[in-house]
Amino acid sequence: LCSRKRRKLVDRQLELVQAQKMLLGEDSDEALLSPERLLSVALSKLELATHVALEDKVETAVIALAIAGASDDRIRLAAQVWSECISADRERWMDWLQTQDDMENPQLRENIIKTTLFGQLWNAVQGGHDEEVCYGNAMDNLVLERLGVADALGAMQMRRLLNFVTTPGAE
């Protein structure tokens, strides 16, 4: 049991080292940053990447989720990543919430998955990541809180839309 725990700890540290190299460059000689600090670097890159291809943003978001998965506070840090991904396309999400009568429209789901950072990240991590960092009901409240969705109706609509988008085979 001890060797299993030790191996898991080493794997997590290696994951963080790899993430730091990808975020700061192979030549960075900076000591290993904490998961929280590394996540902050990744989220800053996402926030500043306004004129960057969606694929590059997804790559950075995948790194951010890997960092979250290597921390002791996986769900909270993963919720930060997912909420940042929604925030990247906030106007579109708000437009969908205000104009869509049918929140369970397969075309809407396909549009969200293909054109938003949240959708592309969700699609990219299906089946290949730690379940705790994949978007799910366990982090709904944390994500909505970080997004500042305070009113009950708005939270209910956003939760419904997110759950529809992230339910495989929902269309």
Side-chain angles (χ1 to χ4, degrees), residues 5-108:
K5 280 185 177 180
R6 195 170 341 163
R7 184 175 178 186
K8 196 171 190 172
L9 181 63
V10 168
D11 287 344
R12 285 182 177 180
Q13 292 299 310
L14 289 173
E15 186 99 25
L16 293 172
V17 167
Q18 185 64 30
Q20 182 165 319
K21 284 182 178 182
M22 293 173 84
L23 291 170
L24 302 179
E26 292 285 335
D27 300 332
S28 175
D29 60 352
E30 195 164 340
L32 182 61
L33 301 174
S34 70
E36 290 79 8
R37 181 70 186 113
L38 270 176
L39 187 65
S40 177
V41 170
L43 294 179
S44 292
K45 282 189 166 218
L46 278 179
E47 195 175 321
L48 297 172
T50 54
H51 300 295
V52 175
L54 185 57
E55 299 82 34
D56 294 334
K57 290 180 188 180
V58 172
E59 183 178 314
T60 301
V62 168
I63 293 168
L65 277 185
I67 294 165
S71 77
D72 291 329
D73 198 4
R74 287 173 202 64
I75 292 175
R76 185 182 63 80
L77 296 184
Q80 284 182 257
V81 176
W82 291 107
S83 61
E84 186 61 39
C85 290
I86 293 168
S87 292
D89 299 302
R90 187 177 196 97
E91 294 80 24
R92 297 174 85 195
W93 285 95
M94 294 303 116
D95 184 52
W96 286 320
L97 287 172
Q98 292 169 2
T99 61
Q100 286 295 318
D101 293 328
D102 182 7
M103 291 291 181
E104 296 183 1
N105 177 340
Q107 290 173 326
L108 173 62

